[in-house]
Amino acid sequence: MKSDREIELLRVAGNIVYRTHQYLKPFIKEGITTKELDRLAEDFIRKQNATPSFKGYDGFPGSICTSINNQVVHGIPGKTKLKNGDIISIDIGACFKGYHGDSAWTYAVGEISDDKKYLMEHTEKALFEGLKQIKPGNRIGDIGHAIENYAKQHHLGVVEELVGHGVGTSVHEDPEVPNYGLPHTGPKLRKGMVIAVEPMLNLGSKEIYVLDDEWTIETADGSPSAHFEHTVVVTEDGYQILTGE
Ligand code: MG
Ligand code: MG
């Protein structure tokens, strides 16, 4: 449980992450490299007197994660140029006065296929299906169950190896928040808990593998993947998004 003072700092950090996403949006166009997006994000975050949470995290070389099409998460920013028809998942973390915010969003580059639109729409909706379960007394398993259920109804693969998490003075804290699970199981949600919920859904099977760079995770069958994440605080009767406006 976080104190009111801590929640205020987490709110500032979360809002910086939100504003970094808004700042990047107009740049997400054909021709820009993921390294250029990384530089823009890092400069913006530092101007807010914050630092990029992922830079150097376990040795991660980028400030943000940029995962294109069949890449699920942890793509390293580099020379790859975005192309019309790509989707790109951008995961941003920012640390303000020792407290973190964490939010990922998948964006379309130009005109994308109906399949990719379907994947993006339903992965975002799956996130909100999970969030709807958040209130004191419910359990972590209720969140995962709602996400898994929604994904299965829409024939999307649920990545299981990567999970949501608590957020605080460390960007990844307990408890783990899986995108699958059974109702009424797992740790109880309590007022003042801060967690990141982050479904990663694939248009094909749920299987994934790690590239030789030891970071980038791709779908095993080459199908596109989407990732939507918010950091939220558990309130008296529900939740509030910290990585929003
Ligand atoms: Mg994230
Ligand atoms: Mg996260």
Side-chain angles (χ1 to χ4, degrees), residues 1 18 33 36 46 51 64 124 138 150 174 190 192 219:
M1 261 53 65
Y18 170 76
T33 67
E36 286 168 320
R46 292 196 188 280
T51 53
I64 59 174
E124 183 177 351
N138 271 9
Y150 186 87
D174 285 341
R190 293 175 201 278
T219 57

Side-chain angles (χ1 to χ4, degrees), residues 149-169:
N149 224 11
Y150 186 87
K152 284 194 170 156
Q153 278 167 15
H154 293 86
H155 311 288
L156 297 171
V158 180
V159 174
E160 294 177 350
E161 289 86 343
L162 298 138
V163 296
H165 48 88
V167 181
T169 51

Side-chain angles (χ1 to χ4, degrees), residues 72-74 157-164 176-180 198 200 202 205-210 217-220:
V72 181
V73 286
H74 303 166
V158 180
V159 174
E160 294 177 350
E161 289 86 343
L162 298 138
V163 296
E176 290 196 341
V177 185
N179 296 304
Y180 58 90
E198 49 178 315
M200 289 147 262
N202 303 339
S205 90
K206 65 179 185 178
E207 312 303 331
I208 57 169
Y209 71 101
V210 186
I217 293 181
E218 293 191 354
T219 57

Side-chain angles (χ1 to χ4, degrees), residues 2 10 57 98-100 165-173:
K2 304 293 190 285
L10 287 158
Y57 186 97
Y99 288 82
H100 295 266
H165 48 88
V167 181
T169 51
S170 171
V171 69
H172 295 131
E173 295 186 350

Side-chain angles (χ1 to χ4, degrees), residues 11-165:
R11 195 183 301 282
V12 176
N15 181 257
I16 291 168
V17 171
Y18 170 76
R19 286 187 290 116
T20 308
H21 272 286
Q22 302 314 305
Y23 172 72
L24 280 188
K25 259 194 210 170
F27 294 101
I28 302 172
K29 281 188 176 149
E30 181 161 46
I32 194 164
T33 67
T34 49
K35 184 72 205 166
E36 286 168 320
L37 291 173
D38 184 80
R39 172 57 62 85
L40 287 164
E42 177 165 359
D43 288 349
F44 185 87
I45 290 167
R46 292 196 188 280
K47 274 189 196 138
Q48 321 304 314
N49 298 313
T51 53
S53 304
F54 304 145
K55 187 146 203 172
Y57 186 97
D58 280 345
F60 186 76
S63 291
I64 59 174
C65 302
T66 51
S67 310
I68 300 171
N69 295 329
N70 57 318
Q71 299 179 340
V72 181
V73 286
H74 303 166
I76 300 172
K79 290 177 191 158
T80 308
K81 283 184 178 170
L82 298 186
K83 298 190 303 290
N84 188 43
D86 284 345
I87 57 172
I88 179 170
S89 298
I90 297 187
D91 198 347
I92 302 177
C95 180
F96 179 77
K97 294 190 178 170
Y99 288 82
H100 295 266
D102 186 8
S103 174
W105 221 252
T106 302
Y107 299 97
V109 182
E111 198 55 45
I112 61 169
S113 68
D114 288 346
D115 272 0
K116 284 177 173 170
K117 278 182 198 160
Y118 177 92
L119 171 70
M120 281 175 60
E121 178 189 340
H122 292 298
T123 307
E124 183 177 351
K125 284 187 175 159
L127 165 63
F128 285 92
E129 286 300 309
L131 293 178
K132 266 192 221 163
Q133 295 298 319
I134 299 180
K135 61 178 176 189
N138 271 9
R139 293 177 182 270
I140 291 290
D142 294 312
I143 301 171
H145 182 70
I147 292 170
E148 183 181 25
N149 224 11
Y150 186 87
K152 284 194 170 156
Q153 278 167 15
H154 293 86
H155 311 288
L156 297 171
V158 180
V159 174
E160 294 177 350
E161 289 86 343
L162 298 138
V163 296
H165 48 88

Side-chain angles (χ1 to χ4, degrees), residues 3-14 96 240 242:
S3 69
D4 288 349
R5 177 192 152 268
E6 288 181 299
I7 290 166
E8 277 323 300
L9 291 169
L10 287 158
R11 195 183 301 282
V12 176
F96 179 77
Q240 205 174 48
L242 297 179

